[in-house]
Amino acid sequence: GAVVSQHPSRVICKSGTSVKIECRSLDFQATTMFWYRQFPKQSLMLMATSNEGSKATYEQGVEKDKFLINHASLTLSTLTVTSAHPEDSSFYICSARPYKWAGETQYFGPGTRLLVL
Amino acid sequence: AQSVTQLDSQVPVFEEAPVELRCNYSSSVSVYLFWYVQYPNQGLQLLLKYLSGSTLVESINGFEAEFNKSQTSFHLRKPSVHISDTAEYFCAVTQTGANNLFFGTGTRLTVIP
């Protein structure tokens, strides 16, 4: 099956620093990648959708200058949390979809747990 | 606007007993429906999905879900659960012409030996 990896799996950083999270589709090309945020005991909330070679589309309420998304290739998307603060601590999950068709399965990465001190 | 409701946040059930995890959605247009499972410390995995055709869809590990348009539901069922089914289950919906998934809040299934 299709595999999506995320790196790092866990990161602890000081407040004010920036953190980059990578999402890779290992055995398929991902036309579209998605970034989600999951708070404890809550569901996944979509943050943004990125298509290779174009700017990401952010959901309402998500600061595009704070959460920088780059989808540089068909197998890699990165999320950079700039000037992180404790309230940014969360579980960040990416997913990748081979095609743009909405019925196509999204394949999820294992997630990255971010703790900002 | 779309939304997904999973009324049960936690469902404890004894091993080999049947289980139903409820999912209701709201949408004014045609939708695709998904169930994802998240095992402890792992990412989400697709369990099954409804796109069109038969309203009853099955997974390889014994789960099934039935799309009921009139009741806007997509409940997940299994006739006999195993310890290994203990996980968080998420129902999700997307419009047929849209791009992103909307998730429910999840149901934690705990199978008791």
Side-chain angles (χ1 to χ4, degrees):
Chain A
V3 179
V4 176
S5 69
Q6 277 185 245
H7 178 79
S9 58
R10 303 173 67 92
V11 58
I12 302 173
C13 68
K14 293 182 179 180
S15 182
T17 60
S18 294
V19 175
K20 179 185 284 188
I21 303 170
E22 291 186 349
C23 176
R24 293 181 185 272
S25 57
L26 299 184
D27 50 4
F28 67 97
Q29 293 186 326
T31 305
T32 308
M33 286 185 166
F34 304 86
W35 286 96
Y36 296 85
R37 186 173 179 177
Q38 186 180 27
F39 291 102
K41 298 185 179 181
Q42 293 188 31
S43 187
L44 283 74
M45 298 298 297
L46 181 66
M47 299 175 65
T49 303
S50 72
N51 293 299
E52 187 265 341
S54 61
K55 290 185 178 180
T57 303
Y58 290 81
E59 295 299 304
Q60 191 172 11
V62 178
E63 299 176 58
K64 60 180 64 178
D65 294 330
K66 181 167 186 62
F67 298 100
L68 300 179
I69 292 172
N70 186 306
H71 193 160
S73 75
L74 285 172
T75 58
L76 174 64
S77 176
T78 60
L79 168 68
T80 301
V81 183
T82 62
S83 187
H85 289 95
E87 57 267 28
D88 298 324
S89 298
S90 190
F91 194 50
Y92 292 88
I93 303 173
C94 75
S95 72
R97 193 172 68 192
Y99 305 102
K100 289 187 177 181
W101 179 46
E104 182 62 53
T105 301
Q106 287 187 29
Y107 298 95
F108 286 81
T112 297
R113 190 164 299 283
L114 171 63
L115 177 61
V116 184
L117 301 177
Chain B
Q2 300 163 81
S3 66
V4 179
T5 303
Q6 291 181 250
L7 289 173
D8 307 305
S9 60
Q10 297 188 59
V11 173
V13 62
F14 286 103
E15 191 175 14
E16 298 184 1
V19 69
E20 178 179 80
L21 306 183
R22 295 180 293 171
C23 172
N24 288 88
Y25 68 93
S26 65
S27 177
S28 58
V29 297
S30 297
V31 296
Y32 296 137
L33 294 155
F34 304 78
W35 274 100
Y36 281 87
V37 58
Q38 185 178 31
Y39 297 104
N41 301 314
Q42 296 186 30
L44 275 73
Q45 302 173 31
L46 178 69
L47 191 58
L48 46 77
K49 63 181 179 182
Y50 170 78
L51 304 178
S52 65
S54 174
T55 57
L56 184 66
V57 290
E58 299 175 349
S59 72
I60 58 174
N61 57 354
F63 282 94
E64 63 178 31
E66 185 161 20
F67 169 56
N68 189 318
K69 188 175 182 178
S70 63
Q71 296 186 8
T72 60
S73 68
F74 191 54
H75 301 331
L76 181 70
R77 295 188 292 263
K78 188 170 185 178
S80 177
V81 295
H82 301 289
I83 296 292
S84 59
D85 293 325
T86 294
E88 188 90 20
Y89 292 80
F90 292 95
C91 182
V93 63
T94 186
Q95 291 182 13
T96 56
N99 201 24
N100 49 346
L101 286 172
F102 291 91
F103 283 86
T105 51
T107 298
R108 177 165 296 280
L109 172 64
T110 302
V111 180
I112 305 165

